[in-house]
């Protein structure tokens, strides 16, 4: 009785941790935002911040990129991570869009 309960607990933990792992794998595999994506076009998103149309987006200043934006969901060292402006997709750490908001 005791040992079957333990087996059950171990099995449940295994299921929970593999679910957590597959969710992480999904996040890492999420598609990257394409510059031709309608939301990307609307927000002026560029995968390379230095290519931002400065005439159209005068608020852009050199040094700003997704990696130091408050919306970037990864670490500054992650090349790509999620952003709420592009649900379910990943933006480049070196990218930029007009919703940029400097991380405090
Ligand atoms: Fe990058 Fe920030 Fe724009 Fe998201 S909101 S795409 S993190 S600049």
């Amino acid at each position: 009785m005791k040992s079957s309960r333990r087996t059950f607990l171990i099995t449940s933990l295994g299921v929970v941790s593999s679910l957590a792992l597959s969710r992480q794998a999904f996040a890492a595999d999420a598609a990257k935002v394409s510059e031709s994506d309608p939301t990307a076009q609307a927000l002026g998103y560029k995968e390379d911040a230095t290519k931002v149309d400065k005439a159209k987006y005068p608020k852009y200043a050199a040094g700003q990129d997704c990696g130091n934006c408050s919306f970037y969901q990864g670490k500054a060292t992650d090349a790509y991570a999620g952003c709420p402006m592009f649900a379910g997709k990943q933006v480049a750490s070196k990218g930029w869009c007009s919703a940029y908001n400097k991380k405090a």
Side-chain angles (χ1 to χ4, degrees), residues 38-53:
T39 312
Q41 299 226 313
L43 291 175
Y45 171 79
K46 289 284 177 206
E47 186 152 329
D48 177 352
T50 63
K51 305 246 161 64
V52 167
D53 182 343

Side-chain angles (χ1 to χ4, degrees), residues 47-86:
E47 186 152 329
D48 177 352
T50 63
K51 305 246 161 64
V52 167
D53 182 343
K54 294 162 189 92
K56 200 168 172 191
Y57 299 104
K59 71 170 248 183
Y60 169 76
Q64 296 181 347
D65 62 28
C66 294
N68 58 42
C69 170
S70 65
F71 296 114
Y72 195 61
Q73 294 174 330
K75 298 188 287 290
T77 50
D78 292 340
Y80 287 86
C83 165
M85 306 303 152
F86 301 95

Side-chain angles (χ1 to χ4, degrees), residues 4 16 19 21 24 29-30 36 41 52 62-63 70-71 74 87 89 93 96:
S4 71
V16 169
L19 276 177
L21 274 178
Q24 259 180 5
D29 287 348
S36 58
Q41 299 226 313
V52 167
S70 65
F71 296 114
K89 292 191 177 167
S93 153
W96 187 89

